[in-house]
Amino acid sequence: MVCWTGKIMESTGGPYLNTAALTSPVGIARLLQMTFGCTTFSLVAHQGGFSAAYGTFCMFVWTFCFAITVFIITCEFTHLHSCLSLSWGNFTAAFAMLATLMSITAAVIYPLYFVQVGCYPIGCEVRDFRIAASVFAGLLFVTYATEVFLTRAKPGQVTSYMATISGLLKIVQAFVACIIFGALVNDSQYGKYVATQWCVAVYSFCFVVTVVVVAFSVTGKTALLWFPFERSVVIYTFGAVLLYTSAAVIWPVFCFDSKYGSPRRPGLCAKGKCPWDSQLVIAIFTYVNLLLYVLDLAYSQRIRFVSHL
């Protein structure tokens, strides 16, 4: 295999094609991901149909995951990943976790909003296509979860940071933060109090720093930093626990205490457009992310960063 770096031609050595990329358990899982992903969005595009933001999101998930999976298979089969300025192990581990979260979300949303028992008014053929697409969407999630299970770090194993429990939790934390942001923009009325604005600042700060940690790990640039990356990440995680603890106390008080908000859902609130519903979603996922950061802090004490993988 030959790679060009500027004007220098470098040979990576070894066979030109990596058949293990297709025949190993991880390779087989990726081939199934490609197959199930293509089948799912083809069924939806051909006859199942999709509409509104929920359907568009599902189609984006399936096409995005399919495209990146094809890219990963191609790079590993041809050894092209050795020519990329990426920490390949970190990249594939991070994508597998992200795809798992995205695919399970789509696998829940699509049948919830588009599948029905009866044929009226969409017709039996469209209904059957939607049911089939939902089944393959569920299988797609299983294959991505299988890859995460196969590639996760084992005790005592030297591996990429993103394959460790702490690294995988970083992806989940960022994903949960995106759910919180989605609820915030859905008329959550967070601007009413300075205290709830503080909570938004906590969500935003932790999300940005978590994404930066993932980005540095995936690009393999941690060794170039002038400060100890490993220690800084652990300190940040401890700070995130404290920040999320404050948000976990402040948000429910200023949204559900009778002095500032409403302890119960207002009866006249329209379904899907009720600020109270968004506030409840934010409160729930605030506690979810707090738990994730606590677990991350606990696991980060037991791992070592490997910047060159």
Side-chain angles (χ1 to χ4, degrees):
M1 184 65 201
V2 176
C3 298
W4 287 90
T5 307
K7 297 182 179 180
I8 301 175
M9 185 173 66
E10 301 176 349
S11 175
T12 60
Y16 288 102
L17 298 178
N18 177 22
T19 56
L22 304 179
T23 58
S24 66
V26 175
I28 294 172
R30 287 171 179 164
L31 289 175
L32 291 175
Q33 293 163 10
M34 185 176 65
T35 302
F36 293 152
C38 182
T39 302
T40 302
F41 70 72
S42 297
L43 288 170
V44 173
H46 176 63
Q47 195 72 283
F50 64 96
S51 60
Y54 297 113
T56 303
F57 169 78
C58 292
M59 279 296 283
F60 166 76
V61 167
W62 296 325
T63 53
F64 170 76
C65 292
F66 172 78
I68 301 299
T69 300
V70 171
F71 170 74
I72 290 174
I73 292 174
T74 302
C75 286
E76 293 211 345
F77 183 62
T78 60
H79 291 286
L80 283 175
H81 63 86
S82 60
C83 304
L84 302 175
S85 58
L86 290 174
S87 175
W88 189 251
N90 281 316
F91 171 73
T92 54
F95 169 72
M97 187 71 249
L98 177 62
T100 300
L101 296 171
M102 294 177 69
S103 60
I104 191 175
T105 304
V108 171
I109 289 178
Y110 188 78
L112 185 64
Y113 284 92
F114 295 96
V115 174
Q116 60 187 50
V117 177
C119 298
Y120 180 82
I122 59 176
C124 292
E125 187 177 7
V126 173
R127 181 204 60 181
D128 294 343
F129 268 86
R130 291 182 176 181
I131 292 175
S134 300
V135 171
F136 279 101
L139 293 174
L140 180 64
F141 155 69
V142 172
T143 56
Y144 279 115
T146 300
E147 180 180 350
V148 172
F149 175 78
L150 292 173
T151 59
R152 78 194 191 286
K154 281 72 174 180
Q157 180 185 15
V158 178
T159 187
S160 304
Y161 169 66
M162 295 308 302
T164 65
I165 296 297
S166 186
L168 295 174
L169 285 173
K170 291 288 191 300
I171 303 296
V172 184
Q173 292 159 6
F175 188 81
V176 171
C178 289
I179 297 176
I180 292 175
F181 293 141
L184 282 170
V185 299
N186 189 29
D187 194 25
S188 63
Q189 298 181 350
Y190 65 85
K192 288 177 62 176
Y193 304 105
V194 174
T196 51
Q197 293 176 25
W198 160 258
C199 295
V200 176
V202 168
Y203 305 142
S204 302
F205 172 77
C206 293
F207 172 76
V208 170
V209 177
T210 298
V211 170
V212 169
V213 170
V214 172
F216 270 102
S217 298
V218 168
T219 56
K221 305 299 183 183
T222 57
L224 302 179
L225 298 174
W226 56 269
F227 56 87
F229 186 71
E230 176 181 356
R231 181 179 298 178
S232 300
V233 170
V234 175
I235 292 174
Y236 153 68
T237 305
F238 176 69
V241 170
L242 297 180
L243 290 171
Y244 258 91
T245 300
S246 69
V249 173
I250 293 173
W251 184 268
V253 168
F254 281 84
C255 291
F256 306 122
D257 188 277
S258 56
K259 183 178 179 180
Y260 305 102
S262 173
R264 296 179 179 81
R265 189 180 190 277
L268 299 178
C269 254
K271 185 178 180 180
K273 297 182 179 179
C274 184
W276 194 90
D277 294 341
S278 297
Q279 293 166 0
L280 179 62
V281 170
I282 294 166
I284 292 173
F285 282 99
T286 296
Y287 285 104
V288 170
N289 238 3
L290 173 60
L291 176 61
L292 291 173
Y293 278 108
V294 170
L295 292 174
D296 188 359
L297 183 63
Y299 275 102
S300 65
Q301 306 303 308
R302 303 166 56 187
I303 64 172
R304 294 182 61 190
F305 286 65
V306 181
S307 59
H308 63 276
L309 290 176

